[in-house]
Amino acid sequence: MLLKLSFSSMRKMFKDYLVLLFGLTISIAIFYMFETLAQNKAFLESNAMISSIVFIFHVGTFILAFITLFYIFYATSFMLSMRQKELGMYMTLGAKKHKVAQLMFFETFFIGIISLVVGVIVGVGFAQGIAGLLMDQLDFSGEGFHALYKSSVITTVIFYVALFLLTSIVNAIKISSKSVLDLLHAEEKHDQVKAKGGRTILGVIFAVILIGAGYYAMFNMAQLAQFGVILAAITITLGTYLMFISLLPYLMKKVKGIRTLNEKGINSFTFAQLRFRMGNLTKVLGTVAMLVALGLGAMTAGLSFYNNVELQASMFHGNDVTIHQPTEKDIQALNNMNTTEENTYHYKVDDNGVYFLKKDLLDHPPLIKQFNPETLEMPEPKRVATDLPDAQYSNSGAEGMKNIPDPWSTALSTELRADFQMFGDRDIFIVDQAHYQKVTTAEQKVVVARVADFMAYLPQLEKIEKRQQQLAASYTGEPGLEMAGGSKFADYMAYKGIASGTIFMGFFLGVAFLMMMASVLMFKLLSSASADTHRYSMLRKIGVRKSLLVKSIYKELFLLFLFPGLVGLVHVLVGMQMFSFILVEPYTKIWLPISIFIVIYGVYYWLTVQMYKRIVLPREA
């Protein structure tokens, strides 16, 4: 009989349970998506630039499991709060307490299993869709990645079944420990406000110490290695939760105590709403802050790796493109680019060597970059200023010739691409006009240019590179070689091939965590909205204008979105230091992922406000 009543009640509260199912489903889907990467060791090791990537994913699994634990306990306790009054009525009508507890256990576990089945299916779909989109955009094959990964499914099912079993038992125990009067009057109880000064100060001090230790670990990740990852993960997670739990209620109490601010408009009502709900909000906002940090951090890291590919390709090249013996197509492609500098150098080739005309080099000395591996800083391009007083120079110390000075040797090999890959084992010479005339082969030329935006001309540069490879094959006698270095574009493709997997992982996880972040915050705010309906209705009845109520909603939800967003953003800005020993400039174009996050966060804020208004504001006759 109780089971029948339970199903009947669940049908009546379908909309509320739909919100719960949606939140649980997204949580499960995101966890599964993370595990598709975390458990695929072969894919991680073959597609990441970070040697300890598998270990980092294990730590990430721990953080996500910890956050999920908070989220699932809150979500299932929400179901308990919806059912307490009705369960109390069952007990009033004669139902045994242990039967009601069994009923609560069954409902919690039943909802959990349904969401688990749907969540895994949705997770597979999300993994396939997001991965396919990213692979297409990044031109990344992603060999070894599987959207449907057996071990990930097993891990997700075991983890969530255990969680739902645990929360079902906890909910049943809570029902058993409550009296009938407690259950019947559950909705009339207010949240307890705990904001005592001494406890707050102690909590904040511990939070600052923990977060400070985590930041220290991220600044010194190169020295601390795996221990630094563990230290940062534990201390920042605990410190963030402790900061929200200890400081936020106290801040709201102080803000409400500011008379001039509290008595303006209906701020008194807005701040009271925030203050009395803060006890339940702190853990959720801490969870959101960590998800913001994980999501935005993963996306920022992915974009940083992507942007640093071009920087890394530029470390050894002062120019962007080098074209030996340019064809009409090469010249046309170059004319279509916005070049900032363009120089032409003449040379001749015979079976013994490649002879560059000294006058061309001295009249238009090329830019070079000399990378210092000790500082790991991006070198500035400098023009070769070394004089060439002798008539002839050789790279092999030919008899009667001086060796080519180092700056000019760098310029010839990296900028003019006069190296083994282009000319095989021929010697390289710099000669004056008289010796140049003695070489009887036809004169050739090489064009070296800098462009305004290297990334904007990748398709044209790729075609030029392929034609250069064909030319190199005619000199080296090794046709069919792929881009093996020598030019900036070849280096770019090589670095991109190495970094594509890391970029893919960053974007994939960034999208996943931001989706979960939005789900958690929207779920919390909308699930508690029905309890606020009578407050807004009462204010409307005593004459408060609807426009003021709408303004109050915007203000209240803005503050709830603002706190975790700011904390998560600070974690990301500091956290990017952990990649400083891998990336040339970890903060390159960081404004882009932050802008994307602000737009996504803003859209979810606006949607939450609109949905919240529909629930709490009384409908006008």
Side-chain angles (χ1 to χ4, degrees), residues 203-222:
V204 171
I205 290 174
F206 274 115
V208 170
I209 291 173
L210 287 169
I211 294 174
Y215 285 177
Y216 173 83
M218 289 194 289
F219 269 95
N220 297 275
M221 194 61 68

Side-chain angles (χ1 to χ4, degrees), residues 571-588:
H571 286 344
V572 171
L573 293 175
V574 177
M576 287 305 296
Q577 281 295 320
M578 68 189 296
F579 299 109
S580 59
F581 69 100
I582 300 174
L583 301 177
V584 179
E585 295 180 14
Y587 292 99
T588 302

